Structures are given as structure tokens and as C-alpha cells.
Amino acid sequence: MQRFKKIFATDIYIVPLVAILLGFLVGAIVMIVGGYNPIEAYSALFRRVFGSPYDFGEAIREMTPLMLTGLAVAFAFRSGLFNIGADGQVIIGMTAASVIGIKFAGLPMFILVPLAVIAAGLFGGLYAGIAGYLKAKRGINEVITTIMLNWIALFLSNYIVRTFLLLPGQNRSEDIPASLSMTFLNSLFDNARLHWGTFIALGAATFFYIFLWKTKQGYEMRAVGLNPHAAEYAGMNVGRNVVKAMFISGVFAGLAGAGEVLGVFHYQSIFASSPGYGFDGIAVALLGLTHPLGVILAAILYGTLTYGSAGMSFGADVPPELIRIVIGSIIFFIAAQGIVRWVLKPFYFKRKKEKVL
């Protein structure tokens, strides 16, 4: 018990919690200025999420791709890379899962579903690996390449769907027989679109932690992320670790795409613009301080706020866009931890110093 208290009394947990509270406070101030009741708005938000089994299940569904894209961005961060291309990798994962799910529909489901999921992760990883290879072999900044690869993924997936998978007369693919839906749980949550992707995300977070902190390869990746020159001097292959880190990051994002087309929609749309999963993943990774447990908790918070924002609109007549101000404020305070520490100084750090003395 004492060890548990000691862990959660450290600054690394106190500062993010206070940053979240300050974010909600900023949102409340903005609502008051706009003539809205923040208590009523936040109450409506949480009622939307926890008010019925269906809404609670849908909130979990909202959190699932955020967990995986957040893990994708966080894994790259830990390896010294900034993967802005998670959105494109999600789209590639969607497309790979759709192609396998539709073109090999004759296979038994116990083969088809895992095959589609593996294809989504593999192609997402290979697509991210392009940026890793260009970084390792040509020194091209991964921020530039991943941004460009996002657009290539968008138009490439639209071409594949329109040419090979299109449902006649519709702006989407044919229905995908392969499914990640959990029918035994869906009935308990009033047919909410829960799917196995949530458990895949939790498994990915476990792999993230074990691989980076319990294996030699993970140690090398973290060393390369902290100081590539020192890692190279120590005999580590920096280029290989860069490519490997981007590949694993892309696998996480690709799995998020598989969850969406196989577990939620059961078809792939022709996108008019980027779906935005990867960019939300950047926010989740920052909120979670690029730690797998933090990313899962951040995805839960982000998903709750995003799904519950509709409740603010209908239940309290508050524009749902205001929730973006709350999320943005939380990210700001986590990034600017000096402000949070300044707020905490009279209450926490002073008392802590007195205990030391």
C-alpha cells in the first residue's frame, strides 16, 4: 500500500491531473463568457457517455482507434521520431483489411478475420517504414515524408476502392463479410458497435511496454531516441532502429484502421478528406506523456470528451466545438508544465520541500 501511495504521489502523475483540471476550468470560463452554464454543460457531457448502455458502449468504440493511433505516435516519439503519418497508415490499414475481407470472402471466418487484421497491421507498418527508410538512408526528415505520405494514402485508397471494391451506385466499397464485432457484448450494450479492436489496443499497449522496457531491442530504440550519436558510438545500428521503430508505429496505426472497417462500419468509404484518426492520436500521445498506460488513459479521456460533446449540444445547447477548447487547453498545460508547477507551488512543492527538511 505504501508503495502504491509513493508511486501516485510523484510529480509525473500530479502534474497531468492538475493540467486536466485546468483544462476543464478554462473551458468553463469560455462557456461563462459565451453565456453558457458550465455545470449544466459538463453534466450533459457525462450523462451522454454514462447515461445508457448504448452510449457507454459507443464511447468505448470511440476510444479504441485513439488508443492505437496514440500508441503509434508515442512509440515513434520514444524512438526519437515524430510520426505525423499515422492518419495515412490508418487508411492503408483500412484498405488492406477491406481488400482481404472482400476479395477472399470465401475463406472460413476464423481464417479470414485474422488474415485481414494481419494484413492491415503489416501494410500499415510497411507504409510507415517508407518514411523510416528515407530517414535512415537519405536523412530526410520524417515529418515531411509522413505528411506527404498521408495524402498519397488518401488518394491511393480512394483509387483502390473506386476501381476494385466499389458498390455500384454508392460512394463506398462492398460490404465486408469479415467482422471483428463482439455480438455477445453488443446485446448487453443495446447493439453498440463494440469490437475486438479494443482488446487488440490493450494488447498493443502491453506489447509497447514489454518491448521498449524489457527487451534489448527496445533498449536500443530508446537509446537511439535519446541520443542517436551516443547510441551509434556504443555500436548500435541507428538506421536499422529508425526503420524498425517506424514499422512498429505503423503496425499500431494499421490495426486501428482494421478495427474501423471490420468492427464499426463493415465497409470502406471513398474519403473526401483525411479522417483525422492519426492527428487525434498525436494529441492522445501528448496527453499520455508517450507512455503506454498514459496513452490508454488519455484515449479514455479524449474519447469521453469527444463522444460526450454531442450531449453538451443537445442537453445544454452548448456548441460541441467548445470541447476542443478543453482538449486544447489540457494539451497546452501538459506541454507547459512550468505553468502547472507554478500553480502547484504554494500547495504541493512547498509542502514537499518542508518534508525533506
Side-chain angles (χ1 to χ4, degrees):
M1 188 65 181
Q2 292 297 325
R3 184 179 179 183
F4 181 82
K5 289 181 179 179
K6 183 178 179 181
I7 291 174
F8 283 89
T10 57
D11 301 347
I12 194 171
Y13 298 102
I14 296 295
V15 172
L17 288 174
V18 174
I20 292 170
L21 293 176
L22 289 174
F24 277 106
L25 179 61
V26 169
I29 293 171
V30 173
M31 291 179 200
I32 293 171
V33 172
Y36 303 105
N37 185 333
I39 297 177
E40 184 180 346
Y42 287 139
S43 298
L45 184 151
F46 289 107
R47 278 199 307 270
R48 170 63 186 247
V49 176
F50 302 104
S52 70
Y54 173 81
D55 285 322
F56 185 64
E58 283 293 301
I60 295 174
R61 189 269 308 164
E62 184 84 24
M63 299 166 191
T64 299
L66 297 175
M67 292 179 187
L68 285 164
T69 54
L71 290 170
V73 176
F75 193 92
F77 274 157
R78 287 285 178 177
S79 305
L81 301 164
F82 193 5
N83 181 11
I84 301 185
D87 213 52
Q89 294 144 28
V90 169
I91 295 174
I92 292 297
M94 285 181 174
T95 307
S98 298
V99 170
I100 297 296
I102 293 172
K103 295 300 183 182
F104 295 88
L107 292 173
M109 285 299 150
F110 70 90
I111 296 177
L112 181 62
V113 174
L115 186 63
V117 172
I118 291 170
L122 179 61
F123 278 88
L126 290 173
Y127 198 70
I130 296 172
Y133 176 82
L134 292 174
K135 169 83 171 183
K137 297 298 182 182
R138 295 289 181 263
I140 302 173
N141 191 292
E142 73 278 4
V143 173
I144 298 172
T145 53
T146 50
I147 289 175
M148 296 298 102
L149 285 169
N150 280 338
W151 290 103
I152 295 171
L154 175 66
F155 294 118
L156 177 61
S157 69
N158 285 348
Y159 170 77
I160 292 173
V161 172
R162 189 177 290 112
T163 307
F164 304 105
L165 309 175
L166 190 67
L167 182 66
Q170 300 293 324
N171 205 35
R172 67 176 181 88
S173 74
E174 301 173 22
D175 291 334
I176 304 172
S179 176
L180 282 173
S181 298
M182 295 188 294
T183 53
F184 64 96
L185 277 181
N186 291 351
S187 58
L188 296 177
F189 288 88
D190 293 342
N191 294 319
R193 293 170 293 177
L194 292 167
H195 57 84
W196 285 103
T198 306
F199 293 98
I200 293 174
L202 296 176
T206 304
F207 169 82
F208 185 131
Y209 176 77
I210 293 174
F211 184 82
L212 274 190
W213 279 278
K214 302 297 180 181
T215 68
K216 176 186 174 183
Q217 293 182 55
Y219 174 80
E220 288 189 4
M221 285 187 185
R222 287 188 291 120
V224 169
L226 292 171
N227 191 326
H229 301 293
E232 186 176 16
Y233 183 78
M236 300 176 189
N237 190 322
V238 174
R240 183 176 62 192
N241 280 287
V242 166
V243 175
K244 191 185 300 181
M246 285 299 293
F247 174 81
I248 296 174
S249 175
V251 168
F252 291 152
L255 291 174
E260 292 300 286
V261 295
L262 301 180
V264 180
F265 301 109
H266 304 289
Y267 62 83
Q268 182 171 340
S269 299
I270 294 177
F271 296 109
S273 61
S274 179
Y277 296 108
F279 299 111
D280 288 340
I282 295 174
V284 170
L286 293 174
L287 285 175
L289 301 176
T290 68
H291 189 281
L293 176 60
V295 168
I296 296 299
L297 296 176
I300 292 172
L301 173 65
Y302 198 108
T304 299
L305 295 177
T306 303
Y307 186 79
S309 62
M312 290 173 55
S313 178
F314 293 109
D317 199 29
V318 176
E321 290 79 13
L322 278 176
I323 206 64
R324 293 291 176 175
I325 296 177
V326 176
I327 294 172
S329 300
I330 294 172
I331 295 173
F332 169 78
F333 286 119
I334 286 180
Q337 291 190 12
I339 297 175
V340 179
R341 292 177 184 278
W342 178 78
V343 172
L344 284 173
K345 189 175 181 180
F347 308 100
Y348 177 69
F349 292 107
K350 184 178 180 180
R351 186 172 73 248
K352 187 176 178 181
K353 185 176 181 181
E354 289 173 353
K355 287 182 180 180
V356 173
L357 292 174

